[in-house]
Amino acid sequence: LVAKSRALNSEWLRVQHEEDQRRTPLTVDVVEDHGNRGKREYLTISETLVEVRKQCLPRHLNHNHTLFGGDILKWMEQTALYTAQRFTGNKSMMTLSMNRISFTQPITTRDILDMRATVVYVRKYVLEVEVRASVDREGDRRSMRASHTGFFEILNMDSIGFKTPITVGIKLSNDCPQDLLTYQKAKVRFLFERHHRAENNNSNSVHSNQAPVSELERARAGLDELDDDTQRKHYLS
């Protein structure tokens, strides 16, 4: 299982690196997929930015006297969810998954954690928020060091728990190659995760004679992304 996880992570890093090393220029026609089209309004990636700064307190420390990893995950998820809610104007949203969380710097009570979240990819019902955290050692924003990153898939729902289409999209332009690259890498991440989750769910069902995956698992795997709105699934039952 460990070897499989390492191989999967290596493959994930490889496909992301390939996008960074792409030689042919990206264009909107090449990058944008159907899920981002036909929205009511559009925002650039920079316009979706939410910044949150958190102070580490003694109650947040683990036995090594550094910030407990669970608190970091909670803060990052809360920031991602708020960013998604602000983007859509809808508070009825739910985090489906936290992907590829990385920890590179310890955080102590002397540090301030600066989290910056942006919506980087939008489909019909789900979107991805990228959260990048940095440690501010001096509290003056002049000594920031990258510390944590994570990608959060969030589902859009109505007030009674049915998934509902997202009406806001990412504004892409050929004049902003960085946004195109950010969007393209997010799209590749989504398709990569969807493929491997679906493959894993199908494999587990076959080998254990389990019932088909639940509707929530289908949402996580993106399997029902093209479902007709008249057949919306309920996720809070």
Side-chain angles (χ1 to χ4, degrees):
L1 185 61
V2 173
K4 183 178 180 180
S5 178
R6 287 177 176 172
L8 189 63
N9 187 61
S10 296
E11 185 180 354
W12 184 90
L13 292 172
R14 179 185 61 79
V15 297
Q16 291 287 283
H17 181 69
E18 285 178 353
E19 294 303 326
D20 285 326
Q21 300 301 313
R22 179 189 286 267
R23 294 184 178 181
T24 56
L26 293 170
T27 65
V28 174
D29 290 338
V30 170
V31 168
E32 189 175 32
D33 64 19
H34 63 86
N36 193 57
R37 296 177 182 139
K39 303 295 187 182
R40 185 179 62 197
E41 61 178 305
Y42 288 86
L43 297 173
T44 63
I45 291 177
S46 61
E47 288 174 333
T48 72
L49 174 67
V50 170
E51 183 176 4
V52 176
R53 288 169 66 83
K54 300 284 285 189
Q55 176 74 57
C56 176
L57 301 177
R59 68 173 182 269
H60 299 132
L61 300 181
N62 58 27
H63 64 280
N64 290 321
H65 302 291
T66 58
L67 179 60
F68 180 59
D71 283 321
I72 299 174
L73 287 177
K74 181 177 72 173
W75 293 347
M76 292 176 70
E77 190 275 336
Q78 289 173 339
T79 302
L81 185 59
Y82 174 75
T83 302
Q85 292 170 335
R86 180 173 175 266
F87 175 77
T88 62
N90 176 27
K91 292 190 176 297
S92 300
M93 303 191 77
M94 178 176 69
T95 302
L96 292 175
S97 64
M98 298 184 290
N99 302 322
R100 311 295 167 178
I101 308 297
S102 65
F103 295 71
T104 60
Q105 294 288 330
I107 301 171
T108 69
T109 53
R110 299 187 301 272
D111 304 326
I112 295 175
L113 186 67
D114 185 281
M115 293 173 288
R116 299 189 177 197
T118 51
V119 177
V120 294
Y121 185 59
V122 178
R123 289 179 70 86
K124 187 173 183 179
Y125 301 110
V126 298
L127 56 78
E128 182 185 89
V129 176
E130 178 180 349
V131 180
R132 294 191 175 275
S134 300
V135 178
D136 189 350
R137 301 291 188 197
E138 305 297 332
D140 57 6
R141 298 177 183 265
R142 290 184 296 180
S143 55
M144 307 280 283
R145 299 183 66 179
S147 61
H148 304 79
T149 58
F151 307 98
F152 298 79
E153 287 181 24
I154 300 176
L155 175 70
N156 195 51
M157 301 184 297
D158 60 23
S159 59
I160 59 174
F162 285 92
K163 70 179 185 181
T164 189
I166 297 171
T167 60
V168 185
I170 297 295
K171 183 178 181 180
L172 299 171
S173 170
N174 292 331
D175 296 329
C176 191
Q178 185 57 50
D179 277 6
L180 292 175
L181 177 60
T182 299
Y183 180 93
Q184 173 67 10
K185 291 177 69 174
K187 181 173 72 172
V188 169
R189 282 193 299 271
F190 180 90
L191 297 176
F192 179 92
E193 298 290 348
R194 182 177 75 169
H195 170 74
H196 286 282
R197 286 180 193 151
E199 191 177 69
N200 187 57
N201 285 334
N202 291 335
S203 176
N204 289 341
S205 297
V206 169
H207 288 92
S208 63
N209 295 319
Q210 293 177 348
V213 295
S214 69
E215 294 303 338
L216 182 55
E217 286 300 322
R218 287 178 62 82
R220 289 194 174 111
L223 296 175
D224 56 357
E225 189 64 30
L226 298 179
D227 280 356
D228 188 90
D229 289 342
T230 60
Q231 299 177 344
R232 295 184 302 168
K233 305 300 191 300
H234 193 284
Y235 292 102
L236 298 185
S237 57

